Amino acid sequence: MTSAVRKISEEKPGIDQLLAEHGMSRAEYDVLLGVMGREPTLAEFGVFAAMWSEHCSYKSTRVWLKTLPTTAPWVICGPGENAGVIDIGDGLAAIFKMESHNHPSYIEPYQGAATGVGGILRDVFTMGARPIANLNALRFGAPSHPKTKSLVAGVVAGIGGYGNCVGVPTVGGETNFHASYNGNCLVNAMTVGVARADKIFYSAAAGVGNPVVYVGSKTGRDGIKGATMSSGEFNEDSDSKRPTVQVGDPFVEKLVLEACLELMATDAIISIQDMGAAGLTSSSVEMASKGGLGIEIDLDKVPQREPGMSAYEIMLSESQERMLMVLKPGREAEAEKIFHKWELDFAVIGKLTDTGRIVCTRNGKTEIDIAVEPLVEKSPVYQRPWEPTPAQAEVAASSYPLPKGETELSILQKLVATPDLCSRRWIWEQYDSLVRANTAQGPGGDAAVVRLDGSQKALAMTVDCSPRYCAADPVMGGKQAVAETWRNICAVGAKPLAITDNMNFGNPEKPRIMGQFVGSVQGIKEACLALDYPVVSGNCSLYNETSGNAILPAPAIGGVGLMQDVSKAVGIAFRAENETIFVIGDTKGHIGQSLYLREIFAKEEGAVPLVDLATERKHGEFIRALIDARDIAACHDVSDGGLLIALAEMAMASNIGCDINQTGDAAFWFGEDQGRYVIATTKPDAVLQKAKSANIPLAKLGQTGGDAIKLTTGSAPIAALKSAHENWLPNFMEK
């Protein structure tokens, strides 16, 4: 050290104000003082506040996340690194993760969403993968809320603006609307990449004396305190937090991606970490901690775009498109040449030490001198009190028949034009889903399918969650979210391999909210074990509340599966006339928490549908076998809105109608029983025989053909359904 560190009281008075600004409790500060043995400097305090924030430390969720199943023979790397890694054969690995950018996106929709995409892209290519696809899960407030339209416009533009410019296709996702998100939208971004299985890069630093290198964009004052901002509730002053939102540049991100992959093709890199939440603080501390080493950083050498930045600002900045790496000694010039070729900053800013401490100097003065281990190991871990969500009573289907004067088809016409069931075309047409020319199936189906370069193989991917189920029954809702991704991947013909989760909840200090989290984790755990479908990465976003009003819990699940032969993939669209339509699975008419109940009767009540995991596995494997044998022309899982919605979506996707000779009440057509698929086939006898042999419930619904959906009670022209379905969102956005 060049001089003694200064006390925080010498730099900034008012510790209570400082604690409040950084979301740190007095008890946590007392632990900090015990670790330090003295008062911290302002920069040291900022490092502790960031590393101990909910966003970085998972202090409320860690004990429960550790219970999730994370291993399988095909899992190369589970949670703990930048992203999860699974073996997909032929010497290749799929690398993927989903993360939230909820608070920033509400404050500044365009940049919040854009930098969310940029951050998750870096998590994936930091590990050596070329990103091949982006997905997202978006949740907005009620359409009638005054901010909803501007949030939708800004978030969608931000996702498209960043992903399109980087040149990674956005191939799938989901969008929901609910009043619980009026003051706190959710923006979850997922990236999938592919790398050589023997060229995976990790973040653990190694080698005392090895150079620590900064690459990418310069450091500015944007995003300072972003991690702590994302670890607290919103209130009426949330708009004042705009300076904590980062500003992204997708063109620079593309340069960083290509430069990193070029350097990774050599053997110069020992470890690498992107600068995400908490910027240089988290990247340096995590690398040193995982390697059991210390790190010295000369902050004067950090490339800066603004004059007079303090140590606190440099360490806490969340400026985008930056990476930290440890190189082999003597390889600095080689690396610098590559990054300068791509017109990026490159600077050796420090070295690894054997001290176990992070020491940072600025203007010749030691501003930070902290033992690394306590920053990680002494971070708070809370066993938050929790209470289970009370069980809701079953809803009798007979209590909610079709309203007087309505038919099944008139209700269908209304449902396809509701916010949660309308077409998302207005959204996904703003995304480039075809760049790189490997998208076999893009947005609009059950799962996206992306070919692997030079191969018949493909990856299938999807994102799903039903927050209304999770609010009513977190355990069953957690199971359903996992099972829904399982069904979507099976429905295109791929084998589900692993998931990433994005746990979006309210304030964990409230036992009711913490109970939602605990229940969801229990449900996810049960589903992953039953389906042999482990969790390999994830993210938690808590304190999604505004003025005490929490969001509906949303444990979003991103699933990835593998197809051996992409030519066998099927979609939801009917292929031709005179195909036989079957439904696989039992239809009992469960309408509790259904969209039929909510949209037609304005009621959100009742027990959620049962998720039978053994049945899910059995039916999914049966569907995959039919697709592999080319017995199916089209397939669609039955989910939101029920059986008649699934049929309508298949018809609207193809402009081919269907003649359905089954009869049933409203619950039969709009109930949301789980574990079901609608299939269309030109081989009905073979399918019937296979279903009988496998003891799979299978019911014939009718035939494809014509230009309308025909029931025994009437018909609905596809053109009219499609107009209602396609026009709701554009009309809403243009009003």
Side-chain angles (χ1 to χ4, degrees), residues 69-72 74-75 86 96 497-500 528 532-537:
T70 60
T71 60
W74 51 89
V75 175
I86 58 174
F96 61 98
L497 292 178
I499 69 167
T500 181
C528 290
D532 208 11
Y533 193 35
V535 182
V536 297
S537 60

Side-chain angles (χ1 to χ4, degrees), residues 162-312:
Y162 206 99
N164 295 353
C165 292
V166 173
V168 177
T170 300
V171 298
E174 60 171 351
T175 305
N176 298 139
F177 296 85
H178 191 275
S180 72
Y181 305 109
N182 282 350
N184 198 132
C185 64
L186 301 185
V187 176
N188 297 169
M190 177 176 170
T191 293
V192 181
V194 175
R196 281 175 45 190
D198 61 352
K199 288 284 283 186
I200 308 299
F201 289 82
Y202 299 98
S203 58
V208 173
N210 282 345
V212 176
V213 173
Y214 172 117
V215 300
S217 290
K218 288 180 169 59
T219 294
R221 289 189 169 94
D222 53 319
I224 294 173
K225 291 195 290 189
T228 52
M229 177 270 290
S230 293
S231 302
E233 294 182 34
F234 278 158
N235 54 39
E236 62 276 6
D237 298 322
S238 60
D239 281 350
S240 68
K241 297 179 179 177
R242 287 184 188 275
T244 63
V245 178
Q246 312 93 321
V247 177
D249 186 334
F251 298 104
V252 173
E253 179 96 338
K254 173 65 171 174
L255 301 179
V256 174
L257 187 161
E258 298 298 342
C260 283
L261 293 181
E262 183 174 339
L263 184 58
M264 286 168 172
T266 73
D267 63 348
I269 297 176
I270 293 174
S271 56
I272 182 170
Q273 174 76 42
D274 83 292
M275 295 189 215
L280 186 53
T281 288
S282 62
S283 56
S284 58
V285 170
E286 288 173 9
M287 292 178 79
S289 173
K290 289 176 181 177
L293 295 173
I295 186 168
E296 289 183 0
I297 298 176
D298 183 348
L299 297 177
D300 297 337
K301 294 182 178 179
V302 173
Q304 298 157 51
R305 69 168 181 261
E306 299 182 47
M309 292 186 70
S310 67
Y312 174 95

